[in-house]
Amino acid sequence: MTGTTMVLATTGLDTFVHTVIKSLALGSLYALLALGFVLIFKATQTVNFAQGALALAGTWFLSMVFMDWNVPGRWVGGPGWLHWFVALLVAALATAVLGLVIERLAIRPMIGEPIFSMAVITLGLEVMIRTVAFDAVNVTPRVIAVPWGADTFMIGGAMIAWSYVAAIAMAAVAFVGVWLFFKTRTGVAMRATAFDQETALAQGINVGRIFAIAWAVGALLAAISGVFSSMSPWGPAGLASRDGAFFAFRALPAVILGGLDSAVGALVGGLLIGFAEIFAGQYLAGHTGILGVGYQQVVPYVVMLIGLLVRPYGLFGTEEVRRV
Amino acid sequence: MRGRPKLFTSYVAESQLFPTRIQKVLVVVGIIVLVLMPFDLPVISQIPIVRFLGDNIWLRLVNRMLIFTIAALGLNILSGLAGQVSLGHAFFMGSGAYTAVMLGGKGSANLWGWGLPIWIWLPASGVVAALVGIAVAPAAVRVRGLYLGIATLGLVFIGLHLSRVFPEIAGPGALGRKWPRMQFRLWKEEDPLVDFSRDGDWFWFEVSKNQKTYLLLLALTVVAAVVAANIARTRTGRAFSAIRERDVAAEIMGVPEFRYKTMAFAISSFYAGVAGALLAVLAGQVPPESWGLLLSIQFIAILLIGGIGRVSGALMGTFFVVLSPRFIEEVIDWMKEQVDAGGIFSGVFDTLISTGDGDGGLLAISETALGYPLPASALDELVYGLLIVVFLLFEPLGLYGIWMKVRNYWKGWPFSY
């Protein structure tokens, strides 16, 4: 009798541990995507709907750099996983250049226009980039050859994918990086620009350069999060595919819940949404008959709507002072 | 008042829809041309754009365009007039469409449908969508600006999920279920009184089903446009504009913000619901996924390309967005013919398009081929995205702004102003 209860208790705990780590991983992924949105919004007051398309483009770049051209493996030896990370960096930088080009051509001329127009222009960019990227990944599914693939390891009785660890680590690196960046001279300039563009200009800050940096970093983050969201448990098993372009939209609830202009909000919002989605998926699975198949994908939006009702500017967002 | 068309001596005169006599004449002539357009008549069928329309493919596209116009007019009231950004328009269209199929569609063991006539399901689809809009409004009023845009985006995804939860309404498969045909019945009798879905005779004329549908949709669109234009010049419309300009100031001046924002959502959703029902009926069978984000984006693009806040802008925008993909395909076909025929430009076109394997070029002619060169269908999308960007960058007022510039230029000609 007691033995049976013991086993049940352990499996319950294992499920719990597994669910927590899974939630942390998905939350980190959302936070990573959200950070890209937040950085660009903070500096340029633009919600970048093209983030998902940029993520797909980044994944496609990685596939080209690593698989097709074998960079850097064609020049130097060494372990394969190191090559992969170098290739990831190259691909992310290429996406950053794409972000720079977009900023220069489409965003810079729009400074001073209503934020709605700015947001819609990125919708147009999204359609363009997505079309080209779809076309590129459609012919043959593009392998991105993640070094750890779909490998897993065990903690007690809980099976953990290496991708979970990787996503959590990557998000940690990105958030610490951004936090450190905000301490630098440029970072302070970006915060000043976010606060008030004209005053920042008057203080001698090159606002145009800040815009460019924000877009480059935002696109870089998009590429990295795109690659990580194409890994085995989330994406189609390490392939660059159409889904990549829409994954970023799933991070929008995290952005809104945390507040559009707060990096801390991106982290908290991402984790909250990740936990809500995975826990609902794990522990409400018995009610699929009522909730419908795939209900967990709607959980983020429900959480977002409830969050917005309580705090219309997100948990950490700056409340707009309403004046006549 | 002769020769001084801009001199108004009363508010009534100033707020007329068509202030000058020339405009009134043009509107009447325009409507006559529009009504006679799809028929093979001696003079009218020679007008350049109209010439294409004898063709059924084009006429079907025009029918689609008319439905899109109704939906765009609705979004224009919400976003253009009342200034509330909404990415959830597709959701309201979907609610209208599924109301229509529930009331008007054929029921079976695992599908809900009561087979009611069109005069019930068409208004009902609008009313139900409006009620959904009213239900959403309390939440939407609390949220502002971009937050509202993304919150309404959430509606679209929740709607898609609901279509999976209720296979009795949306149909079990990915293809969706069959919508009722466009037929007018008094009640559930066997033979419809007026059948818009079959070719037939009206009085002494032979009328094809597309021509019949066209006339019905044209009538609905004209009514929708007149109502939309009239809303803008009533007390309600002025309240909407006040809220758009500055909601706090509007409230201080005695415009109840909550009531008018709710009203804007309701009216806009009514338009969306009716348009959604018509769109689904015209298509016959619609997969649930089509009421998605891309549809919402399309309407925002329509408004921005046409010119936001104007009925004429919504009309021009739809014309442009719905017809341009087809037009691009025509141009590509024409370029291909030029290459085959050989001529002055054949060399230029040959570098642009790729007619087969091994032929270099930017565009592939065969529709199925993906990858590079780009297929023609990808080009449509690309141009569509480019149009949104270019219009916002260079002409924020859209086609309406271009029209104003052209008009003002000729008004003052040969002087610059």
Side-chain angles (χ1 to χ4, degrees), chain A residues 92-117:
Chain A
L93 286 177
T95 320
V97 171
L98 183 60
L100 278 179
V101 171
I102 290 173
E103 191 274 335
R104 189 75 233 188
L105 292 181
I107 305 298
R108 191 80 64 91
M110 294 290 287
I111 294 180
E113 297 283 336
I115 49 175
F116 178 50
S117 308

Side-chain angles (χ1 to χ4, degrees), chain A residues 16-239:
Chain A
F16 182 72
V17 170
H18 176 77
T19 315
V20 166
I21 294 184
K22 206 173 157 188
S23 316
L24 261 180
L26 186 67
S28 312
L29 206 56
Y30 284 161
L32 205 57
L33 282 160
L35 186 62
F37 279 104
V38 165
L39 256 184
I40 291 180
F41 184 81
K42 212 170 155 63
T44 67
Q45 311 289 309
T46 310
V47 178
N48 180 19
F49 285 106
Q51 203 74 356
L54 283 173
L56 180 58
T59 322
W60 168 40
F61 287 157
L62 173 66
S63 168
M64 282 214 297
V65 168
F66 189 65
M67 299 303 291
D68 294 8
W69 302 336
N70 193 18
V71 172
R74 64 197 305 174
W75 299 305
V76 288
W81 60 269
L82 196 62
H83 287 173
W84 189 79
F85 274 104
V86 174
L88 175 60
L89 193 66
V90 173
L93 286 177
T95 320
V97 171
L98 183 60
L100 278 179
V101 171
I102 290 173
E103 191 274 335
R104 189 75 233 188
L105 292 181
I107 305 298
R108 191 80 64 91
M110 294 290 287
I111 294 180
E113 297 283 336
I115 49 175
F116 178 50
S117 308
M118 304 268 271
V120 174
I121 219 169
T122 64
L123 276 177
L125 290 167
E126 195 263 351
V127 173
M128 288 171 72
I129 302 171
R130 179 164 47 80
T131 309
V132 176
F134 266 14
D135 210 56
V137 296
N138 246 333
V139 208
T140 43
R142 288 265 182 177
V143 184
I144 53 170
V146 184
W148 48 87
D151 295 347
T152 53
F153 65 100
M154 304 293 273
I155 296 181
M159 196 160 70
I160 311 291
W162 276 107
S163 308
Y164 294 162
V165 183
I168 297 169
M170 191 63 237
V173 169
F175 272 90
V176 170
V178 168
W179 182 69
L180 287 178
F181 168 70
F182 277 148
K183 303 274 169 208
T184 61
R185 210 178 155 75
T186 321
V188 173
M190 186 179 284
R191 277 150 62 196
T193 312
F195 198 74
D196 191 324
Q197 284 177 12
E198 277 182 29
T199 317
L201 268 174
Q203 306 293 326
I205 292 169
N206 187 343
V207 172
R209 202 167 65 94
I210 298 296
F211 268 52
I213 291 171
W215 268 84
V217 177
L220 190 125
L221 284 169
I224 291 174
S225 52
V227 169
F228 276 74
S229 60
S230 318
M231 290 187 317
S232 65
W234 301 292
L239 294 173

Side-chain angles (χ1 to χ4, degrees), chain B residues 161-194:
Chain B
H161 180 65
L162 285 178
S163 74
R164 284 194 290 268
V165 178
F166 294 105
E168 298 90 351
I169 299 174
L175 283 176
R177 64 187 281 190
K178 291 259 197 309
W179 259 259
R181 285 163 161 268
M182 210 174 276
Q183 290 163 333
F184 191 88
R185 286 184 173 83
L186 286 178
W187 193 241
K188 294 180 179 179
E189 70 266 17
E190 203 50 42
D191 291 321
L193 205 64
V194 189

Side-chain angles (χ1 to χ4, degrees), chain A residues 120 135 260 291 309-310 322, chain B residues 142 144 147 161 304 371-372:
Chain A
V120 174
D135 210 56
L260 263 172
L291 297 170
L309 282 182
V310 182
R322 297 174 66 203
Chain B
R142 213 174 134 65
R144 297 207 152 61
Y147 284 90
H161 180 65
L304 286 169
Y372 293 91

